[in-house]
Amino acid sequence: QTQLVESGGGSVQAGGSLRLSCGGSGYIRVSNCVGWFRQGPGQKREGVATLSHDGTKTTYSNSVAGRFTISLNNVNNTLDLQMTSLKSEDTGIYYCAIQGRPVGDKCRLWEYDYSKWGPGTQVTISS
C-alpha cells in the first residue's frame, strides 16, 4: 500500500487560486469519506471540505464555502481541492485524509473520523 502524497501547494497573493491534489493510494476511490483539512500557524487542525464515496455529497467549512471545491478525479485517482479567492487566513499546511467513517450519510469535518493521512503541503497567501 503506497502512501498518500499531497501536491500543488505554494505561495500566492490574496485573491489568487491554487489547486491541490492528493494521490498515491488505491483507497481514495473506495473510501466512504475523503476530505481536506488544514492547520494554520499556531492553530489546531480543522476540517475544510469532505466528500462522500460516490462523489455526490460535499461538506464545507463556513470559512471556505463558495470559494473551495472538493472533487474526485477518477482518471488520475486523485482527490483534488480547487481553491479560489484565497485570503491570508487560508495560510497553513493542507492535509488530505481518506478512509473516513461516515455518521449517518454525512462525512463530517472531524479529523478523528479519518484514519489515513498525507504528510501535508504548505499553502501561503500573502496580502
Side-chain angles (χ1 to χ4, degrees), residues 38-46 63 88-95 111:
R38 69 184 181 189
Q39 187 169 16
Q43 299 179 6
K44 295 181 179 180
R45 189 156 60 183
E46 63 173 352
S63 61
S88 57
E89 51 262 45
D90 294 319
T91 292
I93 300 173
Y94 281 70
Y95 302 89
E111 61 180 311

Coordinates of all heavy atoms in Angstrom, one line a residue, residues 38-46 63 88-95 111:
R38 N -6.8 21.5 7.3 CA -5.7 22.4 7.3 C -5.3 22.8 8.7 O -6.2 22.7 9.6 CB -6.0 23.6 6.5 CG -7.0 24.6 7.1 CD -7.3 25.7 6.1 NE -8.3 26.6 6.7 CZ -8.9 27.6 6.0 NH1 -8.5 27.8 4.7 NH2 -9.8 28.4 6.6
Q39 N -4.1 23.2 8.9 CA -3.6 23.7 10.2 C -2.9 25.0 10.0 O -1.8 25.0 9.3 CB -2.7 22.7 10.9 CG -2.3 23.0 12.3 CD -1.7 21.9 13.0 OE1 -1.3 20.9 12.4 NE2 -1.7 22.0 14.3
G40 N -3.4 26.1 10.4 CA -2.8 27.4 10.3 C -1.7 27.6 11.4 O -1.7 26.8 12.4
P41 N -0.9 28.6 11.3 CA 0.1 28.8 12.3 C -0.4 29.0 13.7 O -1.3 29.8 13.9 CB 0.8 30.1 11.8 CG 0.5 30.2 10.4 CD -0.9 29.5 10.2
G42 N 0.0 28.2 14.6 CA -0.5 28.3 16.0 C -1.9 27.8 16.2 O -2.5 28.1 17.3
Q43 N -2.5 27.1 15.2 CA -3.9 26.7 15.3 C -4.0 25.2 15.3 O -3.1 24.5 14.9 CB -4.7 27.3 14.2 CG -4.7 28.8 14.2 CD -5.5 29.4 13.0 OE1 -6.1 28.6 12.2 NE2 -5.4 30.7 12.8
K44 N -5.2 24.7 15.7 CA -5.5 23.3 15.7 C -5.8 23.0 14.2 O -6.3 23.8 13.4 CB -6.6 23.0 16.6 CG -6.3 23.1 18.1 CD -7.6 22.7 18.9 CE -7.3 22.9 20.4 NZ -8.4 22.5 21.2
R45 N -5.7 21.7 13.9 CA -6.1 21.3 12.6 C -7.6 21.3 12.5 O -8.3 20.9 13.4 CB -5.6 19.8 12.3 CG -5.8 19.4 10.9 CD -4.8 18.3 10.5 NE -4.9 17.1 11.3 CZ -4.1 16.0 11.2 NH1 -3.2 16.1 10.3 NH2 -4.3 15.0 12.0
E46 N -8.1 21.8 11.3 CA -9.6 22.0 11.1 C -10.0 21.4 9.8 O -9.2 21.3 8.9 CB -9.9 23.5 11.2 CG -9.3 24.3 10.1 CD -9.8 25.7 10.0 OE1 -10.8 26.1 10.7 OE2 -9.3 26.5 9.2
S63 N -15.9 28.9 6.5 CA -14.8 29.8 6.1 C -14.4 29.7 4.6 O -13.8 30.6 4.1 CB -13.6 29.7 7.0 OG -13.1 28.4 6.9
S88 N -5.5 35.6 3.3 CA -4.3 35.4 4.1 C -4.7 34.4 5.2 O -3.8 33.6 5.6 CB -3.9 36.7 4.7 OG -4.9 37.3 5.5
E89 N -5.9 34.3 5.7 CA -6.3 33.4 6.7 C -6.4 31.9 6.2 O -6.6 31.0 6.9 CB -7.6 33.8 7.4 CG -8.7 34.1 6.4 CD -8.9 35.5 6.2 OE1 -7.8 36.2 6.0 OE2 -10.0 36.0 6.2
D90 N -6.2 31.7 4.9 CA -6.2 30.4 4.3 C -4.8 29.8 4.4 O -4.6 28.6 4.1 CB -6.6 30.4 2.8 CG -8.1 30.8 2.6 OD1 -8.9 30.3 3.4 OD2 -8.3 31.5 1.7
T91 N -3.8 30.6 4.9 CA -2.5 30.1 5.0 C -2.4 28.9 6.0 O -3.0 29.0 7.1 CB -1.5 31.2 5.5 OG1 -1.4 32.2 4.5 CG2 -0.2 30.7 5.8
G92 N -1.6 27.9 5.6 CA -1.5 26.8 6.5 C -1.0 25.5 5.8 O -0.7 25.6 4.6
I93 N -0.8 24.5 6.5 CA -0.5 23.2 5.9 C -1.8 22.4 5.6 O -2.6 22.3 6.5 CB 0.4 22.3 6.9 CG1 1.7 23.1 7.2 CG2 0.7 21.0 6.3 CD1 2.5 22.4 8.3
Y94 N -1.9 22.0 4.4 CA -3.2 21.3 4.0 C -2.9 19.8 3.9 O -1.9 19.4 3.3 CB -3.6 21.9 2.6 CG -4.3 23.2 2.8 CD1 -3.6 24.3 3.1 CD2 -5.7 23.3 2.6 CE1 -4.2 25.6 3.3 CE2 -6.3 24.5 2.7 CZ -5.6 25.6 3.1 OH -6.3 26.8 3.2
Y95 N -3.8 19.0 4.5 CA -3.7 17.6 4.5 C -4.9 16.9 3.9 O -6.0 17.4 4.1 CB -3.7 17.1 6.0 CG -2.6 17.7 6.9 CD1 -2.8 18.9 7.6 CD2 -1.4 17.0 7.0 CE1 -1.8 19.4 8.4 CE2 -0.4 17.5 7.8 CZ -0.6 18.7 8.5 OH 0.4 19.2 9.3
E111 N -11.5 15.4 12.3 CA -10.3 14.7 11.9 C -10.3 13.3 12.4 O -9.7 12.4 11.7 CB -9.1 15.4 12.3 CG -8.9 15.6 13.8 CD -7.6 16.3 14.2 OE1 -6.6 16.0 13.7 OE2 -7.7 17.3 14.9

